[in-house]
Amino acid sequence: MKIVLLGAPGAGKGTQAKALSEKLSIPHISTGDIFRANIKGNTPLGIKAKGYIDKGELVPDELTVEIVKDRLANPDCEKGFILDGFPRTIPQAEYLDKVLNNMKIDLDATLLINVDDKDIIERMSGRRTCPNCGASYHVVFNPTKVEGVCDVCSTPVIQRPDDAAETVLNRLETYHKQTQPLISYYEKAGKLKVAQGADEVDETTARVFKALGI
Ligand code: AP5
Ligand code: MG
Ligand code: ZN
């Protein structure tokens, strides 16, 4: 399946993408994870992206779209993919339509994971992520099996720098202004599915699978 995940920062896109990737054996592509890997590696892209990410703003479209195009051309995407955090603006969505059109593939669905702003703020403050493999946890809602250590690769987990309280508010504002218009964009295209994301992780996963008919 070819799936786009939409939702506010902290809605659980990364968490549900992981479940979908395991269930469907297709890659999870997160532009946020790609940027963070570039920041860690101090690449020219990482250096440019860091300034925007740390402020809770979007990285400019021209720095973002090429990465996704290259990633989708990888043979592991032939069976399908889960795009998490892309597209995030109308121009990015139009660009994606063009790229997929050229590749002669069609999106199966855009799934919106719906969570209220007040729940988002609580989630972000407790989030811990693995700087090595990108796995995401929550100190209360989704803890690591061994405290402070990634379940997948045993690396010590960290708090993401953009999860600082002021940055979270900015990210939410950016989401409402720039990304929320994609909901009606995909609704008009007849691609939109919605899953409520306020309940616990497993319950949300069940809803996500149901909304996608898998
Ligand atoms: P990105 O990494 O995509 O961040 P985001 O969209 O802000 O979303 P998050 O990763 O913070 O949240 P999530 O929805 O994945 O939730 P998670 O599963 O972790 O992007 C970062 C930055 O990069 C952007 O701000 C931007 O600057 C830039 N960027 C990226 N893509 C871009 C693009 N296309 N264009 C321009 N700029 C771009 O869950 C959150 C927490 O809640 C975790 O702790 C988790 O364990 C917990 N949790 C999850 N589900 C539940 C549940 N059901 N109940 C309780 N807790 C839960
Ligand atoms: Mg994420
Ligand atoms: Zn890890």
Side-chain angles (χ1 to χ4, degrees):
M1 277 184 103
K2 287 99 184 167
I3 305 164
V4 165
L5 290 184
L6 262 188
K13 300 181 297 297
T15 303
Q16 297 307 328
K18 181 170 172 275
L20 282 167
S21 169
E22 281 163 12
K23 166 123 178 153
L24 299 170
S25 302
I26 53 177
H28 165 205
I29 303 170
S30 156
T31 40
D33 287 348
I34 295 171
F35 287 132
R36 282 185 287 278
N38 277 275
I39 292 171
K40 199 174 159 207
N42 229 1
T43 68
L45 174 67
I47 292 164
K48 282 188 212 146
K50 187 174 181 342
Y52 299 99
I53 293 177
D54 285 352
K55 282 189 271 186
E57 291 170 8
L58 294 184
V59 177
D61 290 342
E62 57 276 20
L63 293 179
T64 308
V65 295
E66 291 295 320
I67 310 174
V68 175
K69 184 179 169 204
D70 292 348
R71 184 62 189 83
L72 290 176
N74 200 300
D76 70 342
C77 292
E78 271 164 24
K79 270 178 58 195
F81 50 80
I82 303 146
L83 277 174
D84 157 11
F86 184 94
R88 253 175 150 101
T89 62
I90 297 280
Q92 287 182 14
E94 289 167 350
Y95 182 88
L96 178 64
D97 283 346
K98 235 188 285 163
V99 168
L100 294 179
N101 207 14
N102 286 341
M103 294 171 81
K104 303 211 171 2
I105 54 181
D106 203 18
L107 272 185
D108 293 292
T110 295
L111 180 83
L112 170 68
I113 304 177
N114 212 1
V115 179
D116 287 347
D117 285 7
K118 65 171 175 25
D119 294 324
I120 299 279
I121 294 172
E122 189 182 2
R123 283 188 190 183
M124 303 295 229
S125 60
R127 174 165 50 189
R128 297 294 178 270
T129 56
C130 174
N132 181 45
C133 75
S136 179
Y137 304 95
H138 190 283
V139 289
V140 179
F141 305 130
N142 181 22
T144 53
K145 292 196 182 90
V146 177
E147 201 187 327
V149 177
C150 178
D151 292 352
V152 182
C153 71
S154 298
T155 305
V157 294
I158 56 158
Q159 184 161 32
R160 250 169 57 179
D162 62 341
D163 282 346
E166 327 78 71
T167 317
V168 168
L169 292 178
N170 224 1
R171 284 162 65 196
L172 271 172
E173 199 185 315
T174 303
Y175 170 76
H176 290 304
K177 268 200 214 133
Q178 292 183 265
T179 307
Q180 220 166 339
L182 292 182
I183 297 173
S184 54
Y185 180 92
Y186 284 113
E187 202 167 25
K188 277 183 205 137
K191 299 276 184 207
L192 190 75
K193 314 251 187 244
V194 183
Q196 294 308 321
D199 292 320
E200 57 186 60
V201 174
D202 292 350
E203 175 70 22
T204 303
T205 303
R207 292 209 172 122
V208 164
F209 288 0
K210 191 164 172 232
L212 292 171
I214 58 174

